[in-house]
Amino acid sequence: MRRYLGRKLLIYGLTFFVAVTVNWMIPRFMPGDPVSSMLSRANVAQPAAVEAMRAHYTAMFGFDLPLWRQYLNFWGALLQGDLGISIWLFPTPVSDVIVRAVPYTLGLLIPSILLSWFAGNRFGAFAARRKWLDNTVLPFGYVLTATPYMWLAILLAWALGIVAGVFPVAGAYGFDLRPSWSWTFIGSLAQHWFLPFASLFLVAFGGWAIGMRNMIIYELEADYVNYLRALGAPARLVRRYAFRNAILPQVTGLALQLGVLVAGALVTEIVFSYPGLGHLILQAIQNQDFFLLQGTFLFIVIGVLIANFVIDVAYVLVDPRTRTGMGGAA
Amino acid sequence: MRNEALHFALRNRKLVVGTVVILVFLVAGLVGPLMFDYGPNEYVGPPMAPPSGEFWLGTTTFGQDVFAQFLYGLRATFLVGALGGVLAAAVGMVVGFVAGYRGGWIDELLNMLTNIVLVLPALVVLLIVNAYLGVRSIGVQALFIGLTSWPWAARAIRAQTFSLRSREFVDLARLSGVRTPKIILREIAPNMSSYLFLTFILLFGSAILIAASLDFIGLGPTDSVSLGLMLNNAARWSALQLGLWWWFIPPGAGITAIVGALYVMNVGLDEVFNPKLREM
C-alpha cells in the first residue's frame, strides 16, 4: 500500500513540476516578445506610461537575468505564494483574487461531483438488465452525457431563470446584498447556487449512470456470477457482488473525469457569471491579465492533484487488493 | 466472420440510429452551405427575426442567418473532431503500442509521461496555450486538442498490447525475425482493430466537446464559424435576456446530437464485436 501511494505521489510531484515549468516556459518561449505584446494590448497612449510599464513587466519577468536564474526565481516566488499582481484588479495580488474566488468554485464542484457520482452509480446499477428502464431512460443518459456543460446551463438559465422567473441567472447572491451571516444572504446564496449546481449535476449524472450500467452488464457475465447463480444465490446478492466489483472502475473513472468536470464548472460559471475561477479565467482572458490566468491555472492543477490523491486513498479503502500488495487495477 | 459482424451490425438498433444521425449531420454540413449565396457572418436579414420561411432558424441581433451559421458551424465541428480525434488516436497508439510491446524502462518512461498528461486538466492547459499563442485556425486548435487528449487511449492500448504480446502468433513472428514495427502493425494492431476504432470514436466526441468549450470561453478560431462560437456570441450579445432562443438552442442541440450519436454508435459497435454484450 505504501508503495502504491508513494508511486502516485511521485507522479503528482512530477506533474506539478511539469505544470510549473510549462507555466514558466510559455510566456518566454512563445513567438514574439511578451512584454511588447502585453503593452500593445494594454492600449496605453502616453509614451512615459508605456516606458514605465515596460520597465515594470521586464522586471517582473526578470528578463535581464540568465535563464536558469529566471527559472529559480520563478520557483522561489511561487513557493512564497507570490503569483504576481493582477492587471484586471490592479493592484491586488493574484493569489488574493484567486483565494476569494475558490470557495465559490469548490461550493459548486464538490457537491455536484459527489452527488452525481453516488446517484449516477446507484441509478445505473439499478437500470442495468431491467429491460424497460434500460431502453427508455438510458438513451436519455446518453443525451445528458453528450450535452456540452455550457449549453445545459444556458437552457436552464433561460427556461427556469428568464422564462419561468423562478431562479436568478447571474452572480452568487443578490446585487443588493453584502456577504454576511444573515438568513437572507444565505437564502440568496442558495438560490443563486442551485441552477449552476443542477446543470453540472445533470451532465455528470448521465455519464456515471451509463458507465455503471455498462460495468454491471460486464460483471453479470463473469464466472463468479454464473457460479453464484448455479448455487442458487438470490438475485439481490448476485447484484450486490456485481456492484462492488463494478464500482472500482468507477472510482478510477472519477479521477479520470476530474479534468472534464472542472472544465464543465468553469464554463458553467461563465454562463451564470458565478464569481468562481471560471469567471476569473474569462476576465483574465478579456483583460489580457496573464498573471491571473497563469495563477488560476496553477491553482486548478494543484486542486486536481489533491483530489486525485484523495481518490487514490479512497481506492485503497474500497479495493483490498491494493492493501495486500497484490496490485489490482489503477 | 465479416458477414457475421455485418449481420449483427445491421440489426443493432443503437449502431444504425447513431450512424444515421451522424451521416445526416455530415451531409448537412457538407452540402448545406452550398444553398446560400452569402457567408455565415454576413448581415443579410432584419435583426432578431424569429424563425420564418425565409430564415429557417431566424437571425441574430445583427441580422445574420442562424441556419447558415449552423450549417457552416457543422463543418468546423466535424473537422475539429476528426483532426483532433485522429491525432489523439495516433499519439495514443504509438505510445500504447511501444510501451506495451517493449516493456522495461521504455514502458516505465512512457507510462510516467502518460500519467502526467493524464492528470493535467486538458482544457485548462489549452486555455493557457491558446491565450498566449492566440489560436486562429481550426487546424491549430485540433492540433492542441489532439496533443492533450491521448493519455487514456494510450493507457488502454498499452494494456491490450500487453496481453497480446505473449501470444503464440506474436512469438512465432518474433522467432522468424520479423522486425518490431512490423509485428505491431501486422500481428498486434489487427487483433485489436475493433478496439482501436471504438477508441477513435470516443476521442472524436471528446475533441468536439473540448473545442466547443474553448470556443465558448472565447479562445476559438477567429477565421470561421463553429457551433461553439455561435454559443459564445449568443451568450455575449445577451440572446438569453432578449429571448432569442433560436440563436442558442440549435448549436447546442447540434453538438449534443452529434456527440450523443457517437456514444450510442460506440455502444452499438461494442455489442456487435463482443457477443457477450448483445441483448438477449
Side-chain angles (χ1 to χ4, degrees):
Chain A
M1 178 174 94
R2 194 169 284 162
R3 219 180 92 83
Y4 168 77
L5 288 181
R7 242 188 108 79
K8 291 282 183 182
L9 274 181
L10 175 71
I11 300 254
Y12 299 149
L14 274 174
T15 309
F16 182 64
F17 176 78
V18 168
V20 173
T21 307
V22 165
N23 215 1
W24 175 81
M25 265 169 63
I26 286 180
R28 282 171 179 78
F29 293 99
M30 73 171 196
D33 170 17
V35 173
S36 46
S37 74
M38 268 175 151
L39 288 180
S40 67
R41 281 159 175 165
N43 253 335
V44 182
Q46 293 155 307
V50 170
E51 271 322 300
M53 277 178 85
R54 182 185 300 282
H56 174 70
Y57 283 133
T58 314
M60 223 159 193
F61 279 106
F63 278 135
D64 39 353
L65 298 170
L67 272 183
W68 62 271
R69 191 74 234 176
Q70 289 180 30
Y71 187 60
L72 285 185
N73 284 351
F74 188 78
W75 270 101
L78 185 70
L79 293 178
Q80 289 166 16
D82 175 12
L83 295 169
I85 305 284
S86 166
I87 295 166
W88 170 48
L89 291 175
F90 197 83
T92 325
V94 164
S95 41
D96 287 3
V97 180
I98 294 175
V99 166
R100 251 181 274 155
V102 163
Y104 291 107
T105 299
L106 288 183
L108 275 184
L109 261 180
I110 294 178
S112 60
I113 290 179
L114 291 181
L115 287 176
S116 68
W117 192 79
F118 280 112
N121 280 329
R122 284 276 155 207
F123 185 76
F126 183 74
R129 285 277 185 250
R130 284 192 169 88
K131 217 153 189 163
W132 68 268
L133 254 187
D134 219 19
N135 287 337
T136 51
V137 183
L138 278 165
F140 191 61
Y142 279 108
V143 173
L144 276 184
T145 187
T147 310
Y149 280 93
M150 60 276 182
W151 189 57
L152 188 64
I154 289 177
L155 285 187
L156 287 180
W158 178 63
L160 293 178
I162 288 169
V163 176
V166 189
F167 288 100
V169 291
Y173 45 83
F175 289 115
D176 50 343
L177 295 174
R178 307 232 131 248
S180 63
W181 286 111
S182 66
W183 284 116
T184 9
F185 179 73
I186 292 171
S188 169
L189 209 58
Q191 231 184 357
H192 284 78
W193 170 85
F194 182 76
L195 278 188
F197 161 79
S199 61
L200 281 174
F201 173 85
L202 282 174
V203 178
F205 174 84
W208 297 127
I210 286 164
M212 191 60 179
R213 176 251 177 203
N214 293 344
M215 280 301 155
I216 288 275
I217 286 181
Y218 269 110
E219 289 298 329
L220 287 181
E221 300 294 329
D223 287 340
Y224 71 89
V225 168
N226 288 333
Y227 180 65
L228 275 176
R229 279 190 181 139
L231 288 180
R236 257 194 41 199
L237 183 77
V238 175
R239 274 188 170 263
R240 198 156 71 210
Y241 278 26
F243 184 79
R244 279 211 64 173
N245 278 295
I247 202 82
L248 295 178
Q250 292 291 85
V251 178
T252 321
L254 186 57
L256 289 178
Q257 283 293 308
L258 273 178
V260 177
L261 290 164
V262 170
L266 298 182
V267 292
T268 305
E269 284 178 8
I270 291 176
V271 171
F272 289 100
S273 320
Y274 204 73
L277 293 177
H279 183 65
L280 283 192
I281 285 180
L282 186 71
Q283 296 300 335
I285 289 170
Q286 285 177 353
N287 294 294
Q288 304 290 345
D289 188 346
F290 287 103
F291 291 110
L292 183 56
L293 192 61
Q294 289 187 290
T296 316
F297 167 73
L298 274 187
F299 236 80
I300 293 176
V301 169
I302 294 172
V304 168
L305 291 180
I306 293 173
N308 261 291
F309 189 68
V310 171
I311 294 173
D312 289 332
V313 173
Y315 197 87
V316 173
L317 294 180
V318 291
D319 186 356
R321 283 173 300 185
T322 48
R323 263 174 280 168
T324 51
M326 281 167 68
Chain B
M1 175 60 214
R2 280 266 140 245
N3 282 333
E4 192 207 8
L6 196 67
H7 173 90
F8 283 108
L10 290 176
R11 274 160 194 76
N12 189 300
R13 228 176 51 213
K14 296 190 184 101
L15 181 57
V16 172
V17 170
T19 315
V20 167
V21 172
I22 294 291
L23 284 180
V24 166
F25 277 103
L26 189 61
V27 170
L30 288 177
V31 182
L34 305 177
M35 294 181 348
F36 304 99
D37 47 7
Y38 47 84
N41 286 326
E42 280 176 47
Y43 311 115
V44 289
M48 298 200 265
S52 64
E54 195 187 353
F55 300 106
W56 290 3
L57 291 177
T59 58
T60 67
T61 12
F62 311 106
Q64 294 151 317
D65 185 350
V66 175
F67 190 52
Q69 290 198 337
F70 180 76
L71 292 176
Y72 275 99
L74 281 177
R75 284 186 177 181
T77 297
F78 273 107
L79 193 63
V80 85
L83 288 179
V86 164
L87 189 64
V91 177
M93 270 159 62
V94 169
V95 173
F97 281 140
V98 172
Y101 186 77
R102 278 297 180 81
W105 67 269
I106 296 184
D107 181 29
E108 287 281 329
L109 200 73
L110 287 176
N111 218 351
M112 196 73 95
L113 179 73
T114 310
N115 281 325
I116 288 175
V117 185
L118 190 68
V119 199
L120 282 175
L123 186 93
V124 190
V125 177
L126 290 171
L127 280 179
I128 291 280
V129 173
N130 287 15
Y132 265 110
L133 300 184
V135 170
R136 294 289 165 261
S137 74
I138 294 175
V140 181
Q141 192 185 35
L143 175 76
F144 287 133
I145 291 176
L147 288 180
T148 46
S149 54
W150 53 270
W152 70 263
R155 231 163 113 163
I157 291 168
R158 171 182 171 272
Q160 293 271 321
T161 312
F162 214 71
S163 72
L164 279 176
R165 75 163 181 183
S166 48
R167 299 281 184 85
E168 280 94 351
F169 60 89
V170 178
D171 284 337
L172 189 68
R174 205 177 305 136
L175 284 176
S176 8
V178 182
R179 289 160 50 95
T180 307
K182 209 170 168 185
I183 295 184
I184 291 177
L185 225 60
R186 286 276 177 80
E187 309 290 338
I188 292 182
N191 274 294
M192 46 194 281
S193 56
S194 61
Y195 193 80
L196 295 176
F197 189 60
L198 294 180
T199 310
F200 168 69
I201 290 184
L202 291 181
L203 288 171
F204 191 112
S206 76
I208 290 179
L209 285 180
I210 296 178
S213 296
L214 282 173
D215 293 355
F216 180 72
I217 294 175
L219 292 173
T222 40
D223 63 351
S224 57
V225 195
S226 76
L227 299 182
L229 280 175
M230 285 174 74
L231 280 177
N232 174 23
N233 283 326
R236 220 157 29 125
W237 305 105
S238 19
L240 267 120
Q241 285 76 13
L242 297 172
L244 309 179
W245 52 268
W246 54 87
W247 194 359
F248 57 80
I249 287 186
I255 298 172
T256 308
I258 293 172
V259 177
L262 284 171
Y263 288 168
V264 171
M265 226 173 112
N266 190 55
V267 181
L269 276 174
D270 205 11
E271 287 173 2
V272 170
F273 293 134
N274 186 349
K276 272 188 175 178
L277 296 176
R278 283 176 201 148
E279 307 235 353
M280 277 155 270

